[in-house]
Amino acid sequence: MRLLTAILAATTTLLSSCTSETEPFMPNATVASEFTQTDQQGNPVSLSDFRGDVVLVEFWATWCSPCRAHTPLVKDLWGRYRDSAFTIIGVSLDNDLNAWRAYIQENDLSWVHVSDGRYWNNAVARQFNVRATPTFMLFDRKGQRVGSTWRFSEIEGQLRTLLAN
């Protein structure tokens, strides 16, 4: 637990200089929530494929050091909730898709990953007006966006609430 607290504190410090344009966790179910993008094997993945699950969408990239710092935290969250009607979709803003695939494999990131290889012009990132990485968005079981944040510490409480409903 102390290690997790230390990681959270270090990550918060890292993020404070990288994500000044991203708001804290804010409810917002007004954005059209459907999207489709290709996974690392070339298969199309849509948000609607996971209706009935609570979905955390993480906008990240291998070149983003705060994103890499979050990897253990996201892995821990996935390990604790993956059997609870919960899905993570990692939307990568990488333009080097080989580096993206290698990072996923080397770090054993077993949740869903998608990318179009278009860097900041990633279609899903543009759809949701993502201006910083990492950015996290939660979607309820109906596929409605219920909030977004760059503060990872704010996710778990909202996740528990959504899973309880």
Side-chain angles (χ1 to χ4, degrees):
M1 190 62 168
R2 287 183 182 174
L3 176 61
L4 184 58
T5 302
I7 290 171
L8 283 171
T11 302
T12 300
T13 301
L14 281 172
L15 289 175
S16 64
S17 63
C18 299
T19 59
S20 61
E21 293 185 44
T22 306
E23 73 275 6
F25 191 87
M26 299 293 292
N28 181 355
T30 61
V31 175
S33 296
E34 181 62 310
F35 63 81
T36 300
Q37 208 154 84
T38 305
D39 70 11
Q40 67 268 35
Q41 288 85 30
N43 302 310
V45 174
S46 298
L47 180 61
S48 61
D49 295 341
F50 303 99
R51 290 294 191 274
D53 285 0
V54 174
V55 179
L56 174 67
V57 176
E58 174 194 20
F59 293 90
W60 72 289
T62 61
W63 45 259
C64 166
S65 54
C67 299
R68 293 169 79 97
H70 273 94
T71 297
L73 301 174
V74 177
K75 276 183 86 165
D76 179 62
L77 191 73
W78 176 241
R80 287 184 290 126
Y81 292 99
R82 69 177 170 205
D83 295 328
S84 304
F86 172 61
T87 298
I88 298 174
I89 302 174
V91 178
S92 172
L93 276 61
D94 280 286
N95 56 354
D96 181 345
L97 296 181
N98 290 326
W100 169 63
R101 287 182 194 99
Y103 187 83
I104 292 167
Q105 185 174 9
E106 290 166 8
N107 290 280
D108 192 29
L109 309 181
S110 61
W111 54 90
V112 177
H113 294 274
V114 298
S115 185
D116 63 9
R118 294 175 53 204
Y119 196 54
W120 284 105
N121 287 317
N122 178 289
V124 180
R126 290 179 58 106
Q127 176 182 346
F128 291 102
N129 197 28
V130 172
R131 291 184 237 149
T133 55
T135 293
F136 301 93
M137 294 182 183
L138 274 171
F139 294 81
D140 66 16
R141 296 176 190 274
K142 295 177 185 175
Q144 291 296 311
R145 184 172 121 177
V146 295
S148 62
T149 187
W150 55 263
R151 294 180 181 129
F152 190 82
S153 61
E154 297 177 6
I155 293 169
E156 191 165 4
Q158 184 67 24
L159 174 61
R160 283 189 206 155
T161 298
L162 290 170
L163 288 171
N165 294 330

